[in-house]
Amino acid sequence: MALKKRKSDAGKIEPGMNVEATQGDLGEADVSKPKVTGVALDDQGNVGKLVVEKGVVFKKKLEIPADRVTSVDPDAEKGVPQGKVTVDVGHKETQSLKASGKKEAMSSDDEQGMLDETERVVPTHEGLRELETENASAAEEPSTPESGDDQEQADQAQPVSKGKQLLRILGPGFLSGMAGNDSSAVTAYAVDGATNGYSQLWLILLSTPLYQAIQYACAHIGRITQQGFATILREYYGRWLAAVAAVALILTNVALIAADLVAIGSGFELITKVSWAWFVVPVAAILWYITVYRNFETIKKIFIILSLVFVSYIVTAIFSGANWGAVLVNTFVPHIGFGFASISSVVALLGATFSPYSMFWQVQGEKEQKRPGSTKTQLRSAALDIASGVISGNIVAYFIIVSTSATIFMHHGQINTAADAAKSLQPLLGPFATYLFAIGLIGSGLIAIPILLASTSYAVAGTFGWPGALSKKPWQNEGFYLILTAALGVSVALALLRFNPIQLIFWANVLAGVLAPVLVALILMVGNNRKIMRDQRLSLLINSGLVIALLILLAGAALLFYGLATGRGS
């Protein structure tokens, strides 16, 4: 009887009708809507299939059997003047579709290593995509609710290796801390050491607990609300405030992506002696293709290893002949210079450390991260995860400054090119320093750019209420991927303006430092909103860290603008 009704409904289908799925996601809430473009008749003259198309740029054609139609509403509705067709197409089916071309949904009659573990649990670009897919699939499957304590006991009952226990703790916090040392940040730290010597090492010490507070607040918000940051701002404060946060992120991310493209090009220039500008477009095109259409996993594993060469700065600092007495004094005793060069270096250093994109990424990553135990246990794991990333990342940044201070600043040198920055590794590596530094620039930049692009798309898509997820195909979330494409295009154009590469990288981090307080203020506001956080608002300790970070960032930005206004920045 139900089958006859479905066939009767199918006969009412006309081209132009909107299409919705009962379980899966055909991108109904996206900027473009799935629509019926035609119907195909069977041998008896009945409707056998309907042809559905979705997307304007990322187009997809899907043939859906008539027995998958659950209802047809030909009546005009507000916003749906052509009528609506509802079909029973599940999430797993839509995920199995390729990104382009034509695909037929199954008829209801037919439908019956350590790096790999790291990839699953640590939300890098591809890891977050996999977690989103798992969570969406799990939402379709019936499950028996368990209390936090029951779940924790169940987890403890399962024997788990020490390696997997560690990986259960490591997650988006570790990634944010370590990925913050992308090629543009490394260059900013190197420039700081070469320009100011040891005098700003105290900022690394000060920024460590403050960065921990910021990232923990982001993780707390993501864990409790289970929403992206832009979505929270739009739903509780209005689209205009979400747009302010999105614009701040877009400006910093576009500048940082351009800086990373230039840094990658500079790395290739060190190896090939060909101008960095020739590498910008090919690298951008390859990264766009991989991010949008392909699995980033294999390449990501290679370049994560390559980017770890920056750890060699720790060893280099030991062999560089650094004045460790001066290093310790400048680490624990603040030295504040009010010259424009000093202030701009402070803002760039803070921008490289408190990178705005890591805040958005932390909220999204913690939302998707699967952690065992009760909410209290999950938040404790998140704190350890974030501490591991923040401390590890800042240790690398600290020794980059020590190395460049001891090898370049002490010899009255300057960093004008990537080759100049590579000289700081020569005490340890000699002639191989240039090649190792180049590999590090390339590897860290290639990892950072997809994450920067994704965080930009999360912010803008959340502001407009569009679905946004790396786990979705381009035709499902066309708005999300169009934002990603546009951000990369603007970044390429900015990179090809052929500014001095080192200056572009430095000022990109200055911009990040100027706009970071906007996001810190919003995090402070959201984290203490009773309506959003209920009884899980931020603690006094975390709030204190956020307020101190906000005041320092505002003071740095104010002094920078004062210097520019008085002509000192020329």
PDB file of all heavy atoms in Angstrom, residues 114 211 227 347 369 479 533:
ATOM      1  N   MET A 114      50.224   3.692  14.157  1.00  0.00           N
ATOM      2  CA  MET A 114      50.152   4.850  15.048  1.00  0.00           C
ATOM      3  C   MET A 114      49.784   6.096  14.278  1.00  0.00           C
ATOM      4  O   MET A 114      48.984   6.893  14.738  1.00  0.00           O
ATOM      5  CB  MET A 114      51.469   5.116  15.806  1.00  0.00           C
ATOM      6  CG  MET A 114      51.336   6.222  16.872  1.00  0.00           C
ATOM      7  SD  MET A 114      50.168   5.841  18.192  1.00  0.00           S
ATOM      8  CE  MET A 114      51.115   4.640  19.127  1.00  0.00           C
ATOM      9  N   TYR A 211      47.937  32.014  26.597  1.00  0.00           N
ATOM     10  CA  TYR A 211      47.482  31.266  25.424  1.00  0.00           C
ATOM     11  C   TYR A 211      46.740  29.998  25.863  1.00  0.00           C
ATOM     12  O   TYR A 211      45.743  29.598  25.258  1.00  0.00           O
ATOM     13  CB  TYR A 211      48.679  30.912  24.547  1.00  0.00           C
ATOM     14  CG  TYR A 211      48.332  30.317  23.202  1.00  0.00           C
ATOM     15  CD1 TYR A 211      47.199  30.710  22.504  1.00  0.00           C
ATOM     16  CD2 TYR A 211      49.145  29.356  22.623  1.00  0.00           C
ATOM     17  CE1 TYR A 211      46.876  30.172  21.266  1.00  0.00           C
ATOM     18  CE2 TYR A 211      48.841  28.800  21.385  1.00  0.00           C
ATOM     19  CZ  TYR A 211      47.708  29.208  20.712  1.00  0.00           C
ATOM     20  OH  TYR A 211      47.407  28.657  19.500  1.00  0.00           O
ATOM     21  N   GLN A 227      28.646  23.574  19.226  1.00  0.00           N
ATOM     22  CA  GLN A 227      28.407  24.431  18.071  1.00  0.00           C
ATOM     23  C   GLN A 227      29.709  25.133  17.685  1.00  0.00           C
ATOM     24  O   GLN A 227      30.600  25.305  18.514  1.00  0.00           O
ATOM     25  CB  GLN A 227      27.339  25.490  18.378  1.00  0.00           C
ATOM     26  CG  GLN A 227      25.931  24.949  18.521  1.00  0.00           C
ATOM     27  CD  GLN A 227      24.938  26.067  18.764  1.00  0.00           C
ATOM     28  OE1 GLN A 227      25.051  26.830  19.726  1.00  0.00           O
ATOM     29  NE2 GLN A 227      23.950  26.183  17.899  1.00  0.00           N
ATOM     30  N   VAL A 347      53.864  43.104  18.770  1.00  0.00           N
ATOM     31  CA  VAL A 347      52.546  42.797  18.212  1.00  0.00           C
ATOM     32  C   VAL A 347      52.632  41.601  17.265  1.00  0.00           C
ATOM     33  O   VAL A 347      51.758  40.723  17.268  1.00  0.00           O
ATOM     34  CB  VAL A 347      51.955  44.032  17.494  1.00  0.00           C
ATOM     35  CG1 VAL A 347      50.630  43.678  16.840  1.00  0.00           C
ATOM     36  CG2 VAL A 347      51.767  45.181  18.484  1.00  0.00           C
ATOM     37  N   GLN A 369      35.779  16.489  18.635  1.00  0.00           N
ATOM     38  CA  GLN A 369      36.670  15.526  19.282  1.00  0.00           C
ATOM     39  C   GLN A 369      35.902  14.589  20.205  1.00  0.00           C
ATOM     40  O   GLN A 369      35.108  15.016  21.039  1.00  0.00           O
ATOM     41  CB  GLN A 369      37.740  16.272  20.079  1.00  0.00           C
ATOM     42  CG  GLN A 369      38.726  15.365  20.796  1.00  0.00           C
ATOM     43  CD  GLN A 369      39.723  14.710  19.862  1.00  0.00           C
ATOM     44  OE1 GLN A 369      39.693  14.978  18.667  1.00  0.00           O
ATOM     45  NE2 GLN A 369      40.577  13.873  20.385  1.00  0.00           N
ATOM     46  N   GLY A 479      28.451  26.658  -0.610  1.00  0.00           N
ATOM     47  CA  GLY A 479      28.827  27.944  -0.032  1.00  0.00           C
ATOM     48  C   GLY A 479      30.130  27.855   0.734  1.00  0.00           C
ATOM     49  O   GLY A 479      31.008  28.713   0.616  1.00  0.00           O
ATOM     50  N   MET A 533      26.154  29.047  28.174  1.00  0.00           N
ATOM     51  CA  MET A 533      26.986  28.071  28.892  1.00  0.00           C
ATOM     52  C   MET A 533      26.266  27.410  30.068  1.00  0.00           C
ATOM     53  O   MET A 533      26.817  26.490  30.691  1.00  0.00           O
ATOM     54  CB  MET A 533      28.255  28.766  29.405  1.00  0.00           C
ATOM     55  CG  MET A 533      29.084  29.445  28.325  1.00  0.00           C
ATOM     56  SD  MET A 533      29.706  28.301  27.089  1.00  0.00           S
ATOM     57  CE  MET A 533      30.880  27.370  28.068  1.00  0.00           C
TER      58      MET A 533
END
